[in-house]
Amino acid sequence: MRRERVRDLLAQVADGSLDVDRALATLALDPSESLGYATIDHHRALRQGFPEVVYGAGKTPAQIVGIACRIADRGDGVLVTRIAEDAAAALAAELPGVEHNAVARTAHLRPSTPIAAARARLLVVTAGTSDLPVAEEAAVTADAMGCATDRLTDVGVAGLHRLLARREMLDEAGVIIVVAGMDGALASVVGGLARVPVIAVPTSVGYGAAFQGIAPLLTMLNSCAAGVTVVNIDNGFGAAMAAARILHS
Amino acid sequence: MRRERVRDLLAQVADGSLDVDRALATLALDPSESLGYATIDHHRALRQGFPEVVYGAGKTPAQIVGIACRIADRGDGVLVTRIAEDAAAALAAELPGVEHNAVARTAHLRPSTPIAAARARLLVVTAGTSDLPVAEEAAVTADAMGCATDRLTDVGVAGLHRLLARREMLDEAGVIIVVAGMDGALASVVGGLARVPVIAVPTSVGYGAAFQGIAPLLTMLNSCAAGVTVVNIDNGFGAAMAAARILHS
Amino acid sequence: MRRERVRDLLAQVADGSLDVDRALATLALDPSESLGYATIDHHRALRQGFPEVVYGAGKTPAQIVGIACRIADRGDGVLVTRIAEDAAAALAAELPGVEHNAVARTAHLRPSTPIAAARARLLVVTAGTSDLPVAEEAAVTADAMGCATDRLTDVGVAGLHRLLARREMLDEAGVIIVVAGMDGALASVVGGLARVPVIAVPTSVGYGAAFQGIAPLLTMLNSCAAGVTVVNIDNGFGAAMAAARILHS
Amino acid sequence: MRRERVRDLLAQVADGSLDVDRALATLALDPSESLGYATIDHHRALRQGFPEVVYGAGKTPAQIVGIACRIADRGDGVLVTRIAEDAAAALAAELPGVEHNAVARTAHLRPSTPIAAARARLLVVTAGTSDLPVAEEAAVTADAMGCATDRLTDVGVAGLHRLLARREMLDEAGVIIVVAGMDGALASVVGGLARVPVIAVPTSVGYGAAFQGIAPLLTMLNSCAAGVTVVNIDNGFGAAMAAARILHS
Amino acid sequence: MRRERVRDLLAQVADGSLDVDRALATLALDPSESLGYATIDHHRALRQGFPEVVYGAGKTPAQIVGIACRIADRGDGVLVTRIAEDAAAALAAELPGVEHNAVARTAHLRPSTPIAAARARLLVVTAGTSDLPVAEEAAVTADAMGCATDRLTDVGVAGLHRLLARREMLDEAGVIIVVAGMDGALASVVGGLARVPVIAVPTSVGYGAAFQGIAPLLTMLNSCAAGVTVVNIDNGFGAAMAAARILHS
Amino acid sequence: MRRERVRDLLAQVADGSLDVDRALATLALDPSESLGYATIDHHRALRQGFPEVVYGAGKTPAQIVGIACRIADRGDGVLVTRIAEDAAAALAAELPGVEHNAVARTAHLRPSTPIAAARARLLVVTAGTSDLPVAEEAAVTADAMGCATDRLTDVGVAGLHRLLARREMLDEAGVIIVVAGMDGALASVVGGLARVPVIAVPTSVGYGAAFQGIAPLLTMLNSCAAGVTVVNIDNGFGAAMAAARILHS
Amino acid sequence: MRRERVRDLLAQVADGSLDVDRALATLALDPSESLGYATIDHHRALRQGFPEVVYGAGKTPAQIVGIACRIADRGDGVLVTRIAEDAAAALAAELPGVEHNAVARTAHLRPSTPIAAARARLLVVTAGTSDLPVAEEAAVTADAMGCATDRLTDVGVAGLHRLLARREMLDEAGVIIVVAGMDGALASVVGGLARVPVIAVPTSVGYGAAFQGIAPLLTMLNSCAAGVTVVNIDNGFGAAMAAARILHS
Amino acid sequence: MRRERVRDLLAQVADGSLDVDRALATLALDPSESLGYATIDHHRALRQGFPEVVYGAGKTPAQIVGIACRIADRGDGVLVTRIAEDAAAALAAELPGVEHNAVARTAHLRPSTPIAAARARLLVVTAGTSDLPVAEEAAVTADAMGCATDRLTDVGVAGLHRLLARREMLDEAGVIIVVAGMDGALASVVGGLARVPVIAVPTSVGYGAAFQGIAPLLTMLNSCAAGVTVVNIDNGFGAAMAAARILHS
């Protein structure tokens, strides 16, 4: 249960629109709930400001639907990442308001009480067209966390003027996520131009010695631009969560 | 042939329910038996307390059925791990009592003489829902080895209170198996809380820099909690066999 | 030249304490300056809010002194990381105000105009005593960037209550840097407890399968706590620079 | 503070040999104690049956002496592993009863109240003479944990009869630790012969494709003998701690 | 063209059964022949005693048929390894005498003049049933090179007595090929027992930290039994070729 | 827009065949153009002498068609590499003159103004038949860049005389590309024989310890023949682009 | 013996300044010469245009002196790379004209007949000051091969304007060598800006996940700028030899 | 005890020069002997035709002397590999006849009864001068095993004619050992030219992407010349032992 929702409940009690017993029942729910195959951490929203996100890979559609419904029952929004087509269909059948983004492989149900808006905008920069699914996962996650997102697409360093021509976008963002595969060099260039926090996401785009993303991962970890941080390969979700931690602080 | 079964045979001879010649014939069977494509180690049960377990991967259904029937012919139980659906069906057709667990990818035929019960209970702890197939392989194997198993599911360290709330389960177990992918950090946390032997199983759950289980494998090998031991990635079977060695000693 | 210093100059011109020609001369200095063996990026402070930091490894004492003096000549502060004892001594002889921290392997000369203070405090958490040099590099760097730092030392997950007992420190920080070697599990635990940005620094502490820091690096990249970001092995400097980007935004 | 020592205190109170106030003072000591550079986990002995062991690598002699003295002050025994010659000398000067084992690189101070004896003996088997330092670290650690140890040295599989000739030692042990570098094959052979728990320690002995212990580590993780568990490369300490968990359960 | 065949031709000329012009035409064929997509090395048989073997992977059925027919046209035998089902069918349609072994993934056409017999027998030992395809590739290749082969199957070190019971087979072989995946320990044990050349073939059998054969490859390269040599993972063909070099010398 | 085409435009203006306004309109097009999912670098041809090449992997057919049509609209030629069958069909439907090479996985539309011819010929040497797709990608790319190509196929070092017999081809080439998988040794041999620039392309041909091309990549990076350069695994395109840089200089 | 020197000899014979017998004696020298510990390839200069270069690492000073003197005896120039201080001193004592460059770790004796000058200049660009030794090795080697060299130092992408300000240098070079460690991103940026051949040299500068140069090596192999080629880590020599092949063609 | 020596003893008994009791005493010695830190396998000579060889690395001089003296006491020859200078000196002081080869890092004491001569000669081929220590270790070992050795030095593939000029040496050898670092390509070339068994030894010569011998190791494992076998990096000893197995069979 998110802080905003607890505050709402208390406000409703205060103005008489919710009676005390029903408010109590809602607040008294157990912070974690076991489904046998999963133990849902309902307190995560209170503790960290956003509810537990469901990692869809390796879970059956039935498990995903089961977990998502339990979270939705509490009035929290639900975000599922790495969701397969069949699981997304099953989820949509059960929770009608769910938005499925096939490129990002996400399913998102917005919470009844809107999440608080972040203090600045996020910019997601990609090196190439093939990096879009990861960038999209970041954008959907950021949206779910209350962060508005701008995009700057296909501005890899092989054609540097594409980036330099849009340099003002780097100056206006609150946080920048750089998504790049292959040589991953874009993170260093953006890191050297921008003042704000830069989070680099290596992608598994490429072949041969790209080693499914190891090459850009190493590039980014060794960025000569000081203060660039890195998340796991293809982890658009994690980059957006890190951005949300910054933009809500 | 297990020790319990040899003892049974001798008892039957002693009370006259089995004549000497038939007992002799049973005992005189060759300790290893060649099928051309396999050499069955029938003495393993006598030597180590449990019969040879059949590793199903890379074997044809016909080979699995052939080996399993030879072991069953001796009256020993049979456990097949990493068994594919078609092989499991073929085996069930040949050996009716076989229990097939599709999640664990196991097929199990209980022995005529029940295996001796272990001196304490096993606890299998998993970090996430996606780790369940490996945990299930461990539980089925432990059961086949005479060890009763409790489960604590989806208590990864991102929501630490889920584990701390069930801490008494760690104190009551005779051995704990920790199954975790991604960061594998749960093994260190459990290893620091528990007094009893802790066996860590890294899983191939995750993506990118999880490198199909290398990340949690390294985490577990470097556990700062002293005395945690590790088995191969996804090797729920091996962890349970190690637990059985401990719980039968 | 930092923004603060440009503002100072303009203010001095405005109030008549500096004549136009001298102000002009200072501002007209070339944004980059070549020493033959180095090309100093004097505009980095204007562009990114902090001057270029000198990476001492692989440079001779004479090169380090040469570069540092050129930066100091502009009135900016100077920070040298990974500085060897002999280079630190040579630098101290040339620039008397330099503070040498032997544990952190840093040399720091404060700028004439103090750097602006960050909007919140930084917390540096370490898993073990052997991680201190990296933590110290982070603390010195943060100090040079205007960020006040608290420390929480030797609270690795093998003895979890040491961290839980000081949990309020996690709640009060603006950014948390987690420094850990071996299993690196502390980053996931802190990431699961804290709301604020968490930057993880793997260290080369450990042996064998720690592989000079690869083990905690992978652990941290795969953290099951959402939104933890990672920097290079032993890169206390980079973590602090990332924290400074956040704390100055 | 170990359980045995708490029981002693209570017994002394019961029989009047210790007055209540002094007992209280002893028991009221904080469970963790901060030295600035370290946070000692004094409750580990109560929680896990053995006090915190000091990992000497990466710590200065002064830090090691400081930590060890604080632990010794509580009446607990102290074990330091990976201790350098100079630190061992400094420690011996401060704590006279310390036993320094140069081969094992350990320093050990026995507790005033002897630790409880384990329920069975430990056997440490080594493949070659060059594996002795790791085996010795295991033996010293086991001794500190109350486990008596037998040794079987230089019985690698290139001369299999050396092991087969001493096979009865495998049958009599409560736990077996196998220490081997290069091909690490001894773990599989011992694992196939023994009924009891087998803990394998890969060593960095070898050259070239031994890769500082990666080769035997992989061999042991893939052992075809079921139920062999593995610890980090050269981690004699960890293997002995795992054995102690088993032998005290 | 093999030496035996050149000798045959000359003998036929000597006894008048072949006229000089036709013999000349045969001998005058170019030592290498280009097909556009391939350059056949017809002199390999003369130079090395056996004709070029066709590696089927990555070649289209048409390319395989084209190359094989050109070799067959010279009267040499043809061996294709790693051949897919469709290519084997296409080849059998074109060259009727071809023997297809689906387990070994080979297609073999015997030469008109039989190849000379080797001076001793080859023994192929496998650790497990899943290693059979690689062992079979070795056996087919050895047969094509004139070497008679014995087999000892599924005698991995987890049940050592299976190997020890057949130890006389090790003493009678001219060369031993050991095929093993997972821990690869069998190579060291056989290498320690046998006097004759031992060639080890790691297989990709196993999972997790077997890393598609890297684990047994490293084990074998680090064999503590002196004088064991190693070939590529799953390279039954190469092992048999090495054995043929030995057995024909 | 390539330099040749700009020169053409100017010539047409000079001779009156193109009026100034239309020429201006053409020249005034933006150097980069955003399609949302891609930002086309139209100035690359002016800057580097050849237009941006479209990397087809990870792009949808619609994206490929969209990008290619925008480039073609400017009158530049279009080259798409790593194109799948369905995308090639979609592209051919939209741009009729496209040449699809299924072996090379390329689609190529020639520019209206032919590209300038290179100053010498390129020679592409392959070690084996399975390396042909990579060699073909190099040849198609070279053709698109105006370089005429000769081929020397299947001359791996196992049959050295095949190469030595054609040694004059090495002497006549302006640049040599060596394409080889497995041991990659051909690059060193060619590098030792030739005077001209040698560019080595490792391929993923092979199995086991070839590690999808790592083996030949390392061989080539360590070539004992001085001055051999290397491109990514299977990167026939990159090798040809490097050759074009040389042959047009 | 280089072609220029053969031509000189013939010219001297033609104009009578050298008698036929002495010319014959010089030309009749064996193309390779054995010193027991080395076999000198005297024909390399004739074959490839430059004499064999001596790789100093792993050779004793006596061996280096022995080999260098034999090459010098033929009138060819001598270049030794990776030469230690003691070997350089020994060589200078024996061959007085040798130029020792301690930064580049080279020793160079110019040939009596100057080597032909290359058709264009070489530009060596470095990312940081710590990359200078590798750049210097390249410059010395290029000089020995007759190529004049310009330098652009410390222009890494963290401060992009340093490079952009000197962009005309990229346009004027015949070949560009980019030397960079850490993220290696400079190669992609230069590759995207320049038309001419770009050879990238990764260096072992950096720490942690730079992995002694693996990070920049992978970055460069995956460069998104088309047609960048790569040599071994720290291989300034190889890059210059590749440049010489291009600049002499 | 070697077979030759047992035969000698029996012959001496037969001709009366040795009385039965003393012969019996000699023959009755235990097949393995424990020194505490080592268990000597005295039967290895009888079993495999050559006595146990002492691996000197990781053993103290006292341990080496102790083991060597015990072997020498039985009248067998002693070979120590990887022996340090101080251990070699200590050994020479104790066993006067020992031959120390500092380049090969070996110490060798010949047996009283000479070892039987091999049936053919060994040829050791090296790619470069820096490979000599490994080649020398092979030659000393071969000598100790009764194999006469020829050498062909510094004939790497960069100057192929050096090898082709001595091709008759390849035809005359019984076994060929190829020692090469860096690209390791020589093994494939020799493997393609020779008929006899070829054993490849990768060396750690090289730098950067040679990765201490991984590059030539992979090259050799992937040799396109069929039937080349490989031993560990720098393992001249193992290659010679493999050759001895072949040359004595």
Side-chain angles (χ1 to χ4, degrees), chain H residues 46-147:
Chain H
L46 249 183
R47 198 169 71 239
Q48 301 200 300
F50 42 83
E52 193 175 2
V53 174
V54 184
Y55 172 66
K59 294 197 180 73
T60 64
Q63 290 172 336
I64 291 174
V65 169
I67 297 169
C69 288
R70 276 315 195 284
I71 298 175
D73 284 355
R74 303 269 177 128
D76 282 327
V78 181
L79 176 62
V80 187
T81 62
R82 309 274 167 140
I83 193 168
E85 292 289 324
D86 59 345
L91 191 60
E94 208 65 36
L95 292 176
V98 157
E99 301 162 22
H100 176 221
N101 183 323
V103 172
R105 287 176 298 161
T106 52
H108 183 210
L109 179 75
R110 295 179 185 278
S112 42
T113 312
I115 206 155
R119 64 170 164 76
R121 295 181 72 84
L122 170 69
L123 175 66
V124 178
V125 184
T126 55
T129 300
S130 309
D131 300 315
L132 278 178
V134 176
E136 209 57 24
E137 187 186 66
V140 169
T141 301
D143 178 31
M145 300 299 142
C147 307

Side-chain angles (χ1 to χ4, degrees), chain A residues 182-240:
Chain A
M182 296 181 175
D183 61 15
L186 185 60
S188 294
V189 170
V190 170
L193 293 171
R195 300 171 69 88
V196 297
V198 174
I199 301 165
V201 192
T203 70
S204 52
V205 166
Y207 59 91
F211 296 133
Q212 282 80 51
I214 294 180
L217 171 63
L218 296 187
T219 307
M220 289 163 171
L221 286 169
N222 288 287
S223 175
C224 58
V228 171
T229 60
V230 187
V231 297
N232 193 6
I233 297 162
D234 289 336
N235 192 5
F237 161 70

Side-chain angles (χ1 to χ4, degrees), chain B residues 226-229, chain C residues 207, chain D residues 50 53 79 81 106 118 122-124 134-149 175-179 199-201 230-232 234-248:
Chain B
V228 171
T229 60
Chain C
Y207 59 90
Chain D
F50 43 83
V53 175
L79 176 63
T81 62
T106 53
L122 169 69
L123 175 65
V124 179
V134 176
E136 208 57 23
E137 187 187 66
V140 169
T141 302
D143 178 31
M145 299 299 143
C147 307
T149 300
V175 170
I176 302 172
I177 290 175
V178 178
V179 182
I199 301 164
V201 192
V230 186
V231 296
N232 193 6
D234 290 336
N235 192 4
F237 160 71
M241 292 303 282
R245 284 178 184 249
I246 297 170
L247 292 171
H248 281 294

Side-chain angles (χ1 to χ4, degrees), chain B residues 22-73:
Chain B
R22 292 191 53 192
L24 194 64
T26 303
L27 289 169
L29 289 169
D30 195 31
S32 74
E33 178 184 8
S34 176
L35 306 186
Y37 54 83
T39 305
I40 305 173
D41 180 8
H42 287 299
H43 260 208
R44 192 165 300 176
L46 248 183
R47 198 169 70 240
Q48 301 200 301
F50 41 85
E52 193 176 1
V53 175
V54 184
Y55 172 67
K59 294 197 180 73
T60 64
Q63 290 172 337
I64 291 174
V65 169
I67 296 169
C69 288
R70 276 312 194 288
I71 297 175
D73 284 355

Side-chain angles (χ1 to χ4, degrees), chain E residues 4-92:
Chain E
E4 293 93 331
R5 187 152 152 69
V6 176
R7 188 178 293 113
D8 270 12
L9 277 180
L10 297 179
Q12 287 175 299
V13 172
D15 67 11
S17 65
L18 184 73
D19 68 56
V20 167
D21 283 351
R22 293 192 50 193
L24 195 64
T26 303
L27 287 170
L29 290 168
D30 195 32
S32 74
E33 178 184 7
S34 175
L35 306 185
Y37 53 84
T39 306
I40 305 173
D41 179 9
H42 288 301
H43 260 208
R44 194 164 299 176
L46 249 183
R47 200 170 70 239
Q48 301 199 300
F50 43 85
E52 193 175 0
V53 174
V54 184
Y55 173 66
K59 295 198 180 72
T60 64
Q63 290 172 337
I64 291 174
V65 169
I67 297 170
C69 289
R70 276 313 194 291
I71 297 176
D73 284 354
R74 302 270 177 127
D76 282 329
V78 180
L79 176 63
V80 187
T81 63
R82 309 274 166 141
I83 193 168
E85 292 289 325
D86 59 345
L91 191 59

Side-chain angles (χ1 to χ4, degrees), chain E residues 51-200:
Chain E
E52 193 175 0
V53 174
V54 184
Y55 173 66
K59 295 198 180 72
T60 64
Q63 290 172 337
I64 291 174
V65 169
I67 297 170
C69 289
R70 276 313 194 291
I71 297 176
D73 284 354
R74 302 270 177 127
D76 282 329
V78 180
L79 176 63
V80 187
T81 63
R82 309 274 166 141
I83 193 168
E85 292 289 325
D86 59 345
L91 191 59
E94 207 67 37
L95 292 175
V98 156
E99 301 162 23
H100 176 220
N101 183 323
V103 172
R105 288 176 298 161
T106 52
H108 182 209
L109 178 76
R110 293 179 187 279
S112 42
T113 313
I115 204 154
R119 63 171 166 77
R121 295 181 71 83
L122 170 68
L123 175 65
V124 179
V125 184
T126 55
T129 300
S130 309
D131 300 315
L132 278 178
V134 176
E136 208 57 23
E137 186 186 69
V140 169
T141 302
D143 178 32
M145 300 299 143
C147 307
T149 300
D150 298 305
R151 287 169 175 85
L152 184 51
T153 301
D154 195 22
V155 293
V157 303
L160 204 56
H161 63 98
R162 294 178 296 188
L163 176 68
L164 296 176
R166 308 299 296 277
R167 200 176 148 177
E168 80 292 346
M169 290 184 78
L170 306 183
D171 295 333
E172 289 160 8
V175 170
I176 301 171
I177 290 176
V178 179
V179 181
M182 296 181 174
D183 61 16
L186 185 61
S188 294
V189 169
V190 170
L193 293 172
R195 299 172 70 87
V196 297
V198 174
I199 301 164

